């Protein structure tokens, strides 16, 4: 599938068409969707099930009912002053939607909902008390294998028992890093890719053979960085004057003694405390 913009200006874009491309013949076929669609979610069979439309100040999230072949508005919201509480992340083969939503609470979580009945799962699939959870659904050929999201670090919750066991084996072999595994899209190849990283180590890429249990290094980012000389990071929470906790990343210089459990640690050492502030509460620093 591909998107072709049809009307664009310096301030906004009017609408776009969703196309299905035959990679052998280079022929395209337009996929019918509501006007002013800017986001599209097909199911495992390639049928369009959910779209996000935007026209001026009005945005809608719409669902295509397979029984009636009609589009139903799941939610409407103002384009400029409010985001939708429903953010679609995956369409299950049985028609249910994996969505990020708050559902009246302070923190986002990943939920399963049935758009045909409006029924929600009793409990979220992924949530965290102190973090918004906006998960990536890992799926292959219509089957959901796991969910991946970030809190104070990256977390992958595997629903597939084989991948869960494999993740445990790789984490045991590489205990000092976060290890992101990617299963092959096709076939039964024993090879998988493993991406490793930490607060002090840039991304490194490996092939792992499930039969021989051996790693083959492919390469990495920023090869001149010596991870042993890099500072470590930790997240703490300090209370603001209104008693709300403020999540704070602390970078600890290597080689300094002290108890790394709170901001007071800096006051008992010779190391100064430097603050790096930003004005966007949703921004996440990677440096």
């Amino acid at each position: 599938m591909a998107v072709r913009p049809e009307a664009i200006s310096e301030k906004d874009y009017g609408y776009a068409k969703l196309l299905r491309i035959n990679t052998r013949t280079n022929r395209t076929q337009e996929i019918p969707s509501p006007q002013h669609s800017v986001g599209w979610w097909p199911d495992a069979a390639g049928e369009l099930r959910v779209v996000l439309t935007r026209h001026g100040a009005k945005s809608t999230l719409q669902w295509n009912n397979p029984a009636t072949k009609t589009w139903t508005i799941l939610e409407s919201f103002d384009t400029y002053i409010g985001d939708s509480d429903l953010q679609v992340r995956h369409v299950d083969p049985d028609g249910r939607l994996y969505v990020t939503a708050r559902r009246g609470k302070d923190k986002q979580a990943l939920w399963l909902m049935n758009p045909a009945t409006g029924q929600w799962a009793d409990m979220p699939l992924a949530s965290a008390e102190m973090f918004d959870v906006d998960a990536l659904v890992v799926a292959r050929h219509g089957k959901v294998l796991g969910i991946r999201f970030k809190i104070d670090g990256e977390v992958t919750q595997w629903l597939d028992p084989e991948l869960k066991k494999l993740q445990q084996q790789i984490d045991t072999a590489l205990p000092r890093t976060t290890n992101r595994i990617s299963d092959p899209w096709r076939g039964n190849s024993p090879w998988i890719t493993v991406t490793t990283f930490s607060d002090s180590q840039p991304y490194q890429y490996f092939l792992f053979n499930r039969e021989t249990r051996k790693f083959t290094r492919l390469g990495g980012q920023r090869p001149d960085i010596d991870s042993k000389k890099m500072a470590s990071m930790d997240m703490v929470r300090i209370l603001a004057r209104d008693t709300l906790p403020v999540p704070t990343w602390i970078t600890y210089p290597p080689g300094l003694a002290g108890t790394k459990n709170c901001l007071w640690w800096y006051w008992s050492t010779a190391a100064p405390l430097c603050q790096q502030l930003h004005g966007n509460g949703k921004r996440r620093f990677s440096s």
Side-chain angles (χ1 to χ4, degrees):
M1 293 184 178
V3 176
R4 184 174 68 193
E6 296 291 330
I8 301 178
S9 66
E10 294 181 356
K11 295 182 178 180
D12 204 350
Y13 53 90
Y15 64 96
K17 290 183 178 180
L18 184 65
L19 305 175
R20 181 177 282 111
I21 300 178
N22 188 320
T23 57
R24 295 182 178 179
T25 64
N26 291 327
R27 292 183 178 180
T28 61
Q29 179 184 8
E30 182 180 352
I31 301 175
S33 62
Q35 195 175 12
H36 305 295
S37 296
V38 296
W40 303 265
W41 290 268
D43 59 18
E47 297 296 327
L48 193 59
R49 285 288 166 254
V50 183
V51 299
L52 175 66
T53 68
R54 192 182 81 173
H55 183 50
K58 182 180 180 180
S59 293
T60 65
L61 191 67
Q62 302 187 32
W63 169 67
N64 184 8
N65 190 329
T68 62
K69 304 296 182 181
T70 58
W71 289 93
T72 302
I73 296 178
L74 297 177
E75 188 176 48
S76 300
F77 59 96
D78 190 289
T79 301
Y80 303 108
I81 64 174
D83 294 331
S84 171
D85 187 47
L86 293 180
Q87 300 179 41
V88 180
R89 294 296 174 254
H90 183 70
V91 180
D92 208 47
D94 62 7
R96 293 181 300 172
L97 304 180
Y98 289 75
V99 299
T100 297
R102 297 185 186 276
R103 302 202 65 199
K105 297 185 178 180
D106 180 59
K107 297 294 185 292
Q108 288 180 330
L110 183 69
W111 294 83
L112 261 178
M113 71 162 295
N114 189 331
T117 63
Q119 184 177 3
W120 292 73
D122 295 333
M123 298 292 294
L125 295 173
S127 63
E129 181 180 359
M130 301 299 292
F131 295 90
D132 286 319
V133 172
D134 188 7
L136 168 71
V137 178
V138 182
R140 297 288 188 271
H141 307 295
K143 179 182 178 182
V144 174
L145 303 177
I147 50 180
R148 181 174 292 142
F149 54 93
K150 287 184 178 180
I151 44 177
D152 56 342
E154 184 174 286
V155 178
T156 302
Q157 293 183 359
W158 292 111
L159 306 178
D160 182 86
E162 292 185 5
L163 288 175
K164 182 178 181 179
K165 182 179 179 180
L166 180 62
Q167 182 76 62
Q168 294 172 345
Q169 293 173 348
I170 292 178
D171 289 345
T172 300
L174 304 172
R176 298 181 179 275
T177 54
T178 298
N179 308 305
R180 182 192 303 162
I181 65 177
S182 300
D183 202 44
W185 276 94
R186 296 182 182 275
N188 297 317
S189 172
W191 296 97
I192 64 168
T193 58
V194 180
T195 303
T196 68
F197 55 93
S198 71
D199 53 355
S200 59
Q201 176 185 292
Y203 287 88
Q204 305 292 315
Y205 307 100
F206 298 87
L207 281 176
F208 178 74
N209 191 301
R210 285 179 279 195
E211 296 176 353
T212 64
R213 306 296 179 185
K214 292 184 178 180
F215 289 90
T216 301
R217 189 174 185 276
L218 299 175
Q221 297 181 4
R222 299 179 175 90
D224 292 335
I225 291 181
D226 184 355
S227 61
K228 296 180 180 179
K229 297 180 181 179
M230 297 295 103
S232 61
M233 297 177 64
D234 193 15
M235 175 173 281
V236 299
R237 286 178 171 79
I238 57 176
L239 291 180
R241 286 180 293 180
D242 58 3
T243 71
L244 288 178
V246 179
T248 305
W249 282 107
I250 298 184
T251 302
Y252 297 104
L256 287 180
T259 302
K260 303 178 181 180
N261 56 3
C262 66
L263 288 173
W264 300 101
W265 171 73
Y266 273 99
W267 295 358
S268 63
T269 67
L273 174 62
C274 300
Q275 289 182 300
Q276 184 180 18
L277 304 177
H278 60 84
N280 185 350
K282 293 185 178 180
R283 184 175 177 182
R284 186 185 187 96
F285 282 103
S286 59
S287 59

